[in-house]
């Protein structure tokens, strides 16, 4: 029996706990980098840009992890993803993102994790790829 | 459900661009790196080990 014969996905989830070493496809709507954002939303994007991946000196915005920012009634709602579902830095990153959004001057911030669309390396911005190469990683 | 493809050695074994000298004269040392999204490679030109991301 090969690994491909194994059917144990009772949750019918698309997410997987490892990175498939193939490139993946570029996504039309992603990455989102806050282009065109104004006012407080602009401030939130700018604050999020300052948050770096815990392993690498790259902005999480450049990594393509942020899927959306909305500010309404003085509350910032950030939708984001992680590079894989089992990411051990999950709580740390979520907390960093929430603190960054709060620092942009909103009364409260909610961070929601999404795994759709699944992240892949094509969601990294050109600047992000440069930063990764600078750090000594091949992208 | 699929198993970790790195155990089957998927992904490019040669030709990955070296982040230091940009050569593609490189070989993969090992499909597993320090994180789930990294594999270990070696550049034959500048003789440096490096990791591939993604």
């Amino acid at each position: 029996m090969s690994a491909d014969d194994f059917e144990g996905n009772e949750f019918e989830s698309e997410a997987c706990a490892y990175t498939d070493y193939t490139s993946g496809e570029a996504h039309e709507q992603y990455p989102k980098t806050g282009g065109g954002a104004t006012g407080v939303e602009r401030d939130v994007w700018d604050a999020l840009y300052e948050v770096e991946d815990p392993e690498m000196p790259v902005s999480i915005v450049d990594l393509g992890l942020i899927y959306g920012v909305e500010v309404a009634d003085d509350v910032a709602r950030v939708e984001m993803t992680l590079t894989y579902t089992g990411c051990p830095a999950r709580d740390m990153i979520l907390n960093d993102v929430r603190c960054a959004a709060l620092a942009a001057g909103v009364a409260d911030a909610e961070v929601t994790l999404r795994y759709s669309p699944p992240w892949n390396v094509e969601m990294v911005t050109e600047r992000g790829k440069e930063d990764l190469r600078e750090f000594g990683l091949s992208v | 459900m699929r198993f970790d493809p790195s155990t089957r050695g998927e992904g490019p074994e040669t030709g990955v661009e070296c982040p230091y000298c940009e050569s593609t004269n490189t070989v993969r040392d090992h499909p597993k790196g320090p994180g789930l999204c990294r594999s270990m490679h070696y550049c034959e030109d500048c003789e440096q080990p490096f990791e591939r991301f993604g």
Side-chain angles (χ1 to χ4, degrees):
Chain A
M1 177 172 168
S2 79
D4 294 325
D5 298 329
F6 186 82
E7 290 181 35
N9 190 359
E10 60 185 294
F11 304 110
E12 294 179 10
S13 143
E14 288 292 303
C16 59
Y18 57 77
T19 299
D20 181 340
Y21 288 80
T22 51
S23 288
E25 288 183 19
H27 208 285
E28 251 176 61
Q29 296 173 316
Y30 299 91
K32 292 193 191 285
T33 54
T38 55
V40 185
E41 282 180 13
R42 170 80 269 147
D43 297 340
V44 172
W45 275 106
D46 291 346
L48 293 181
Y49 210 92
E50 300 300 316
V51 180
E52 287 187 346
D53 181 283
E55 286 184 317
M56 307 170 285
V58 184
S59 164
I60 57 166
V61 176
D62 278 331
L63 278 178
L65 299 185
I66 305 298
Y67 281 179
V69 172
E70 261 186 25
V71 178
D73 305 324
D74 212 18
V75 178
R77 288 181 180 83
V78 179
E79 291 204 328
M80 68 176 298
T81 192
L82 295 170
T83 57
Y84 59 98
T85 47
C87 181
R90 173 187 151 148
D91 292 349
M92 180 179 162
I93 295 176
L94 291 181
N95 188 54
D96 285 354
V97 167
R98 184 165 180 270
C99 291
L102 283 171
V106 287
D108 197 12
E110 294 171 9
V111 185
T112 312
L113 264 184
R114 250 173 55 191
Y115 291 104
S116 171
W119 179 91
N120 69 54
V121 76
E122 294 307 313
M123 291 186 186
V124 181
T125 66
E126 275 314 306
R127 182 168 163 181
K129 286 177 181 171
E130 285 304 311
D131 287 346
L132 288 166
R133 289 183 191 117
E134 187 74 22
F135 182 58
L137 290 173
S138 175
V139 186
Chain B
M1 167 83 185
R2 288 173 297 150
F3 290 104
D4 179 347
S6 66
T7 58
R8 297 203 295 261
E10 289 179 14
E13 292 188 34
T14 56
V16 169
E17 186 180 285
C18 170
Y20 305 117
C21 75
E22 298 181 7
S23 164
T24 51
N25 181 19
T26 64
V27 291
R28 190 180 67 198
D29 272 344
H30 201 280
K32 280 190 185 292
L36 282 175
C37 51
R38 313 229 197 134
S39 49
M40 307 303 295
H41 298 252
Y42 182 78
C43 177
E44 304 283 13
D45 283 352
C46 71
E47 301 182 343
Q48 291 296 321
F50 65 92
E51 294 166 23
R52 174 172 177 262
F53 177 83

